[in-house]
Amino acid sequence: MENIPISEIERKMLYFSEQQQEPDDLFEVNAQFDERYDTQEYEAKIAGLIKRAYERDKASSDELAQQWLEQIRALQKEDHYILVMVSQARLRLPGNGARLFATIVALAAILVASIFISLKFNLSPSETTTLRWTAIIAMVASWILIAPERRSVVRQVSLALLRGILPSSSRKR
């Protein structure tokens, strides 16, 4: 559609997975790719094509945007190279914004609640630490439930919050 040429090797690399060996010559294709192509240029080219194709489909139909989400989730069950380019495309997939917002609100509520409980009940330092670790475990569980394409954002928010609640001696390790 965009008249951007894709060589046979570049096309086959879209199928690359450490877990699967189809097409049959995929590892040979990978070796040829490493010799002949700049990985960053290739990934940027494919990410751009993915982003523009998704935006076109999303503009034409909510159903097509939902299909993108379903197909990406199917790919995420294994280690496919194309997921690197999907991640770089930074697609705004349907339904993820609300889930991300709800998780961030829940994480903030957990931290505020742990601070409030600690102050209200005059907890000892060890009890406060236990409470905070419980909050951290809850944050990690929430992080796992987030859609994979949004985990990096939640991880950054979580790390920023953790820096505020862990003692400085724990952070140095």
Side-chain angles (χ1 to χ4, degrees), residues 32-46:
Q32 291 174 4
F33 177 84
D34 286 342
E35 289 174 10
R36 300 179 191 171
Y37 294 90
D38 180 286
T39 304
Q40 289 181 334
E41 285 179 22
Y42 171 72
E43 290 175 2
K45 173 181 168 178
I46 299 301

Side-chain angles (χ1 to χ4, degrees), residues 107 110-111 113-115 118 123-142 158-159 161-163 165-173:
L107 295 176
I110 288 169
L111 284 175
S114 71
I115 292 167
S118 178
L123 298 178
S124 70
S126 65
E127 291 170 324
T128 301
T129 301
T130 301
L131 182 62
R132 288 180 178 167
W133 276 110
T134 303
I136 290 168
I137 291 168
M139 285 190 285
V140 170
S142 298
S158 297
L159 288 173
L161 292 172
L162 289 175
R163 283 188 206 108
I165 65 170
L166 289 176
S168 59
S169 60
S170 297
R171 283 185 282 179
K172 291 178 184 175
R173 292 184 192 168

Side-chain angles (χ1 to χ4, degrees), residues 2-17:
E2 296 184 20
N3 291 323
I4 296 176
I6 295 179
S7 71
E8 187 66 14
I9 291 174
E10 289 176 311
R11 186 188 64 76
K12 285 184 177 182
M13 282 303 294
L14 296 173
Y15 296 97
F16 186 78
S17 170

